[in-house]
Amino acid sequence: MHLDPLPFGNYYLLERIAIGGMAEVYLSKNSGTRGKEQLVALKRILPNIAEDDDFIAMFIDEAKIAGHLHHDNIASIFDLGKINESYFIAMEYISGHDIRTLWDKANVSDLRLPISLC
């Protein structure tokens, strides 16, 4: 879903790239410091569960735990916050298909993914 850049705090939401039962992820642009812009993946809680304290706690814990993980195969966490009533996590944007999409396509075609790809 492509949309006109939508301001969201220091970010501009450019395109929704995923939606699940509890959160949505946008390709976003950080307005940056000193004029340096950066593309990020911005995950925010869906409005229908934005008031669920247990889910908010899990969402914050997810960001804190992921923020301590540093590996080439794990997207880095840049920011965790709340804008108006919307909690969000801003993380490294990595272009391409996620492993789940590749896995599902391989299963439909009766193929096996090589371990090196996984």
Side-chain angles (χ1 to χ4, degrees), residues 67-88:
H68 290 289
L69 301 175
H70 301 284
H71 189 276
D72 290 342
N73 296 333
I74 300 173
S76 299
I77 302 293
F78 299 135
D79 195 6
L80 165 66
K82 181 180 178 185
I83 296 173
N84 298 322
E85 296 304 313
S86 187
Y87 285 88
F88 71 92

Side-chain angles (χ1 to χ4, degrees), residues 27-90:
L27 172 61
S28 304
K29 182 171 55 174
N30 183 339
S31 57
T33 56
R34 295 185 223 140
K36 183 179 179 187
E37 294 181 341
Q38 177 180 22
L39 287 179
V40 299
L42 191 136
K43 180 177 184 177
R44 68 180 188 176
I45 297 175
L46 290 172
N48 62 322
I49 56 171
E51 294 180 17
D52 182 328
D53 291 337
D54 290 334
F55 181 74
I56 291 168
M58 288 188 309
F59 189 81
I60 292 169
D61 286 345
E62 171 190 340
K64 287 179 179 178
I65 291 168
H68 290 289
L69 301 175
H70 301 284
H71 189 276
D72 290 342
N73 296 333
I74 300 173
S76 299
I77 302 293
F78 299 135
D79 195 6
L80 165 66
K82 181 180 178 185
I83 296 173
N84 298 322
E85 296 304 313
S86 187
Y87 285 88
F88 71 92
I89 300 170

Side-chain angles (χ1 to χ4, degrees), residues 1 16-26 43-48:
M1 171 174 131
R16 187 168 66 192
I17 54 178
I19 186 167
M22 296 183 257
E24 56 191 346
V25 179
Y26 287 88
K43 180 177 184 177
R44 68 180 188 176
I45 297 175
L46 290 172
N48 62 322

